[in-house]
Amino acid sequence: MTEQTAPLSPARPAAEVPALEVRAVSHAFGARKALDDVTLTVPAGSFTALLGPNGAGKTTLFSLVTRLYDNRSGAIHVLGADVRRRPAEALSRLGVVFQARTLDLELSVLDNLLYHATLHGISFGAGRRRALELLAQDGLAERARDKVRNLSGGQMRRVEIVRALMHRPRLLLLDEPTVGLDIASRAAVVALVRALVANEGIGVLWATHIIEEIVPGDRVVVLHRGRVRASGCYEEMLAHAGGEDLSAAFLALVGDAGETAP
C-alpha cells in the first residue's frame, strides 16, 4: 500500500497539486541512514499523520522539507514548488512547529509574532493586525502582552501554531507538537489544528508516536527505521495490517517499534 505519486507538471489543476509531495528522498548522517527512499503525499486540505516511534526519521524529514538539511536525492515539492530549485517560494507556502520550543521567553507573545512577521516581509501594522486576529481566534488575545515565560506549556504551543500561521501558509508541519503536554492541553492543540484543516483547507503533516491522536478518516503514513512501511487512509491501514485497531495495525507493520533507527 506504499504510495506511488505522479510527477507534478505545470498543467496539473491547482486543486490536484498536493500540499506536500516527497519522492524517493534518502538522507544519511555519515554511515547511518536516517531516511531510505521515502515517498509520501499530503493532499491539500488534509490531516495526514506521520506515525513512527522515536528515531524513525520524522524530524530528519521535517528538516529536509524546511531546508535545514539539503536533500541531495529525490525531490520535495511544497504546493508544486521544488524546495531546492525554488526555496523562497516553497518556504513561503509552509509553516512549521518543531518539537523543541523556539519562542523567546523574555519577549511578549505579540513581540514574538511581530518578529516572525518581519522575517516574512510583513509590515508592522499588517503583522500586528494579523497577530491579534489569530490570537483572538485561538482564545489568547488577553495574553498578547504577557511574557511567554508566564504561559503554560499548552499555551506556548498554541502561540507557536499562531506564529506558524502569520504568513498565511497552505501547508503546516508539526513535529510531535503535544509531547510533554497534559491531556487537556494536548486535546486543545489537536482541536486547533483539525479546525484549520476543516475550516481553512490547510494541509497538515502531523508527526507523532501517539496513536490516540489519529482518528478514522485521517490519512496515515507509517515511518519506521527511515522507511515508509505503509500509507493510506485510517481504514485502509487497518485492512492492510489486519489489526482490530490502529495500535495493533501499527505493531503488525513495524514489529520492533520500540527500537530506534540504526
Side-chain angles (χ1 to χ4, degrees), residues 115-128:
Y115 178 71
H116 181 81
T118 299
L119 294 178
H120 281 272
I122 302 172
S123 70
F124 177 84
R128 188 175 186 279

Side-chain angles (χ1 to χ4, degrees), residues 74-156:
I76 301 172
H77 292 88
V78 176
L79 289 130
D82 189 299
V83 300
R84 291 197 78 192
R85 298 177 181 176
R86 296 150 60 192
E89 185 178 351
L91 294 178
S92 72
R93 299 176 179 183
L94 70 86
V96 60
V97 177
F98 285 108
Q99 182 175 345
R101 302 289 169 78
T102 56
L103 295 170
D104 189 321
L105 299 180
E106 298 306 321
L107 292 180
S108 70
V109 168
L110 183 57
D111 284 342
N112 269 276
L113 300 179
L114 290 176
Y115 178 71
H116 181 81
T118 299
L119 294 178
H120 281 272
I122 302 172
S123 70
F124 177 84
R128 188 175 186 279
R129 287 191 296 273
R130 175 69 171 161
L132 293 177
E133 172 192 5
L134 290 171
L135 289 172
Q137 290 174 1
D138 194 24
L140 291 170
E142 74 281 0
R143 309 305 299 268
R145 289 174 174 78
D146 290 353
K147 283 189 176 182
V148 168
R149 70 165 53 258
N150 295 325
L151 303 182
S152 68
Q155 289 170 332
M156 287 185 191

Side-chain angles (χ1 to χ4, degrees), residues 22-38 56-57 59-65 67-74 76 84 225-227 261-262:
V22 177
R23 298 197 304 264
V25 169
S26 298
H27 193 78
F29 298 99
R32 182 175 71 86
K33 192 167 242 186
L35 296 175
D36 186 6
D37 197 31
V38 168
T59 298
T60 300
L61 178 62
F62 274 40
S63 296
L64 290 166
V65 175
R67 296 294 295 159
L68 292 176
Y69 301 152
D70 181 31
N71 62 301
R72 299 184 178 181
S73 69
I76 301 172
R84 291 197 78 192
R225 295 193 169 207
R227 294 186 62 88

